[in-house]
Amino acid sequence: MKQHYFDLNLLPTAGQRKELRAFILKRSENLSLSTIDGDTIQFKVLARFMKEKFPYLNSFSAVDEGEIIDCLKDWMPNNGHKTTCNHRMKTGNKVIVEDAQSIQFLKKLLLFLRPEEERPEEEKDIWQLDRFEFSIRRNPIDPIRSLRFEKIRQERMKSEVKQACYIFLKHQSAGTIVSDIRAAQRFADYLREKYPKVQSFGEINRSMIENYLLFTKTNNPDRKNRKTELAHLRRVLTQVGKNIEKPYLGRLFIKNDMPKMPETVFRYYSDAEIERLNKHIVNLEEQVARALILHQMLGGRISDTLTLRTNCIYQEHGQFILRIYQVKTSYYEKPIPDTVAALIEKSREYTFERYGETEYIFVNEKDPKLPFQYSMLKNKVYAMIYENDIRNDAGELMGFGTHLFRHTYGVKLAELYLDDAAIAHLLGHRGMNCVYRYRRASSRHLKEETEKYREMIDEILEDMERVESL
């Protein structure tokens, strides 16, 4: 039908027609047919305006953005069009005054035509984090270089998520924001399928949340990170609610919505497994081997070990003190024996001889300003395991997880009967809530050893009874 298509001949110049055609095709990649159909009304208003006011203009961007938008706002009342419209939200029953849809349509067109390099980074669908003027928290052993929003198909929701993430970016780590975007995208995908008319997070209600919770539970009931993902979604909605003056969005989730996290098996390496691994680790490249041995001896996270600073050691009353900077928090200090200090010093000398003075002890060969990359370390260890057919105590090919060394370290501390505060400090925990896991694993180990001892005693008693009966 004639009213359901874009008659580009209504525009006065070939340049304008070409730009409008590209804009419409781009929008049709992400928006529903009904939304595109609604654009035909705004297009006709814009075409009349351009024909009257800019009949010889070959490009919409040839005029200053502010000038052409102000000109449209002046033209509309004289031609029977309002410059504002009232938008009533489905929840909260609040009315928001916005620019008329024709003005919004022109603004979106001008943004589309703006060269990529001229757009503010926060307006793009892919953010290059190095282009922001403020510093961003990133894990140096596995740095995130960009944030991507293009998979959120609803333009308004995408804009709301961008605004929330721009605020997060100033005080949260990039890795956390990646999880925020992923959670928002999955929820947006669900809304697009089940509620196609909803174009803003400000239009959702409690019923939609409940249906989404049921959807996630029935479609992927075994997903381990479901609780974490819902927590990220709630965080995004809370910030979006603050930005668009709808604070109730942060209260759409209730406590019972968050599923209980299944308690995972607390795994750690046995002494025999550690011995098998280290037998081959010492044959790896010098600095790689040092990093892995130090990681076992320090009991920290792998990011703590790989980001050790070259000035991380000092002496106090004859005792070596190690300062460890953590990605998630700030830093903590712990005493270390002379052997560990000597290994760190040897690693530092190795780096200085080859790369000069650097910030980190274990540096990336391609870019010494960066520390070892976790992916490199993991690949080398897995190659070592496969090449040497290293097996665990059950006879299976050994798996590898740097966090298992940390678990093993914590269990050993528990077996030394240190108190909870000492264990938490040596592991770099802020509190003592996690210490019970190391103690419980240690108790299990003690129980197994006790059972073996009791079996041996039982055998001795049986032998004694047999002798007495003779």
Side-chain angles (χ1 to χ4, degrees), residues 200-392:
S200 165
F201 286 124
E203 299 172 14
I204 66 173
N205 54 39
R206 173 62 188 173
S207 175
M208 295 176 187
I209 293 292
E210 290 176 354
N211 290 336
Y212 181 62
L213 293 171
L214 181 62
F215 172 82
T216 58
K217 188 174 183 179
T218 55
N219 282 268
N220 198 348
D222 298 327
R223 184 187 292 173
K224 294 181 180 179
N225 62 343
R226 182 165 165 263
K227 179 178 181 179
T228 303
E229 185 170 300
L230 292 175
H232 281 285
L233 176 59
R234 179 174 60 183
R235 204 168 83 96
V236 172
L237 292 180
T238 300
Q239 187 59 54
V240 169
K242 293 177 181 178
N243 293 345
I244 64 175
E245 298 183 353
K246 295 195 174 298
Y248 68 85
L249 289 179
R251 300 190 294 270
L252 289 179
F253 282 94
I254 60 177
K255 185 177 180 180
N256 292 338
D257 291 338
M258 299 299 168
K260 291 184 178 180
M261 293 285 284
E263 189 157 354
T264 56
V265 178
F266 191 84
R267 297 189 301 123
Y268 57 96
Y269 290 124
S270 69
D271 290 344
E273 289 171 337
I274 289 283
E275 186 176 348
R276 286 183 214 122
L277 280 170
N278 285 342
K279 179 181 176 181
H280 298 282
I281 283 176
V282 294
N283 294 322
L284 294 173
E285 298 167 23
E286 284 181 68
Q287 204 72 331
V288 171
R290 291 190 186 108
L292 288 168
I293 297 298
L294 267 175
H295 180 56
Q296 298 175 47
M297 299 173 77
L298 294 175
R301 300 175 180 85
I302 189 62
S303 57
D304 299 346
T305 303
L306 299 187
T307 57
L308 285 173
R309 272 43 169 199
T310 51
N311 60 348
C312 62
I313 297 179
Y314 67 93
Q315 274 189 300
E316 191 173 85
H317 307 300
Q319 170 70 60
F320 284 106
I321 305 296
L322 176 67
R323 174 173 287 186
I324 299 175
Y325 288 87
Q326 295 180 302
V327 174
K328 292 186 176 181
T329 55
S330 53
Y331 69 87
Y332 71 100
E333 297 179 340
K334 60 190 286 186
I336 56 173
D338 295 355
T339 51
V340 174
L343 185 55
I344 292 175
E345 180 59 33
K346 192 70 176 177
S347 304
R348 181 167 55 184
E349 290 174 0
Y350 177 95
T351 297
F352 283 179
E353 286 175 4
R354 285 160 179 76
Y355 306 103
E357 292 193 10
T358 59
E359 179 180 3
Y360 301 107
I361 292 176
F362 301 102
V363 298
N364 189 325
E365 291 181 359
K366 296 180 180 178
D367 186 357
K369 293 180 181 179
L370 295 175
F372 270 2
Q373 300 299 281
Y374 176 64
S375 57
M376 177 277 292
L377 195 73
K378 184 171 68 173
N379 290 339
K380 287 185 180 296
V381 174
Y382 269 116
M384 177 195 76
I385 290 171
Y386 281 101
E387 288 171 4
N388 296 281
D389 194 34
I390 306 175
R391 302 276 168 167
N392 61 20

Side-chain angles (χ1 to χ4, degrees), residues 131-174:
R131 296 178 182 173
F132 286 94
E133 296 179 356
F134 51 87
S135 61
I136 296 169
R137 288 176 54 192
R138 286 183 279 183
N139 188 339
I141 71 167
D142 189 17
I144 294 170
R145 295 180 171 81
S146 63
L147 299 176
R148 307 180 71 94
F149 300 87
E150 73 269 29
K151 291 185 179 180
I152 301 176
R153 309 289 289 278
Q154 301 93 322
E155 290 295 329
R156 197 163 179 177
M157 288 185 190
K158 184 193 297 183
S159 176
E160 290 166 350
V161 174
K162 286 180 184 178
Q163 291 172 10
C165 289
Y166 184 71
I167 293 172
F168 293 156
L169 202 58
K170 296 182 179 180
H171 55 86
Q172 294 288 340
S173 70

Side-chain angles (χ1 to χ4, degrees), residues 73 76 82-89 94-105 107-108 156 159-160 163 199-200 202-203 244 246:
K73 289 180 178 180
M76 288 177 68
K82 295 181 179 179
T83 58
T84 60
C85 64
N86 294 333
H87 179 73
R88 183 177 295 277
M89 306 304 288
K94 185 178 179 180
V95 176
I96 298 177
V97 178
E98 300 177 322
D99 283 330
Q101 292 185 9
S102 299
I103 299 173
Q104 293 183 36
F105 184 75
K107 286 181 176 180
K108 291 172 185 175
R156 197 163 179 177
S159 176
E160 290 166 350
Q163 291 172 10
Q199 296 297 313
S200 165
E203 299 172 14
I244 64 175
K246 295 195 174 298

